């Protein structure tokens, strides 16, 4: 193989690997920023001493949106003027299923000490993202976000 062709292949390979690395970092950084902002809002919410604490558990329908329902719930309850201050904690997780949410329940109860828990989950339990993916239970698949994204897109969008 001539030197120039080998050099081009090396550069293309490096470019692809670099793009994958940047995408992986971007996905992880985006998730970290999202969860950090959510946790910051939760901490601000629980600073209200003597407030009635409500913890909302769920998937992306709880976690996301311009104004997710836990924020709206807190606003509506505090506008009701019944003499009680409400703090609503949003513990929604994007792309989580019921078992993931329940596995974190004890930790969340110990951390936030809510007076009431509202759970809206089960929506993601019906989606079989990994059904046709044999390597879905491997450490590589679970830890490499770009691969997971590409494989899910391939199996559930492109092939169907």
């Amino acid at each position: 193989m001539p030197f120039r062709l080998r050099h081009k292949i090396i550069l293309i390979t490096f470019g692809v690997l670099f793009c994958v690395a940047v995408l992986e970092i971007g996905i992880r950084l985006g998730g970290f920023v999202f969860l950090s902002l959510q946790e910051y809002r939760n901490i601000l919410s629980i600073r209200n001493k003597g407030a009635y604490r409500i913890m909302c558990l769920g998937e992306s329908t709880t976690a996301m949106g311009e104004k997710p329902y836990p924020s709206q719930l807190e606003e509506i309850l505090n506008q009701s003027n019944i003499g009680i201050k409400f703090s609503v904690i949003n513990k929604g997780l994007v792309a989580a299923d019921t078992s993931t949410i329940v596995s974190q329940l004890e930790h969340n109860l110990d951390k936030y000490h809510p007076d009431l828990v509202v759970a809206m989950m089960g929506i993601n339990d019906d989606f079989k993202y990994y059904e046709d993916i044999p390597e879905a239970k491997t450490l590589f698949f679970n830890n490499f976000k770009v691969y997971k994204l590409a494989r899910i897109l391939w199996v559930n969008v492109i092939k169907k």
Side-chain angles (χ1 to χ4, degrees), residues 55-124:
M55 182 170 62
C56 296
L57 302 174
E59 298 137 344
S60 57
T61 52
T62 300
M64 307 250 334
E66 189 174 316
K67 194 158 188 176
Y69 91 83
S71 301
Q72 294 177 41
L73 178 63
E74 182 175 84
E75 189 176 305
I76 291 167
L77 289 172
N78 284 323
Q79 288 175 353
S80 65
N81 295 325
I82 60 171
I84 299 172
K85 180 74 175 163
F86 292 92
S87 290
V88 179
I89 301 151
N90 184 347
K91 289 308 289 180
L93 294 171
V94 177
D97 60 3
T98 300
S99 62
T100 303
I101 296 165
V102 170
S103 72
Q104 297 177 6
L105 180 61
E106 190 173 338
H107 169 74
N108 288 328
L109 291 173
D110 290 342
K111 183 173 182 177
Y112 296 104
H113 305 288
D115 298 301
L116 175 73
V117 175
V118 176
M120 187 170 93
M121 53 190 163
I123 296 168
N124 289 342

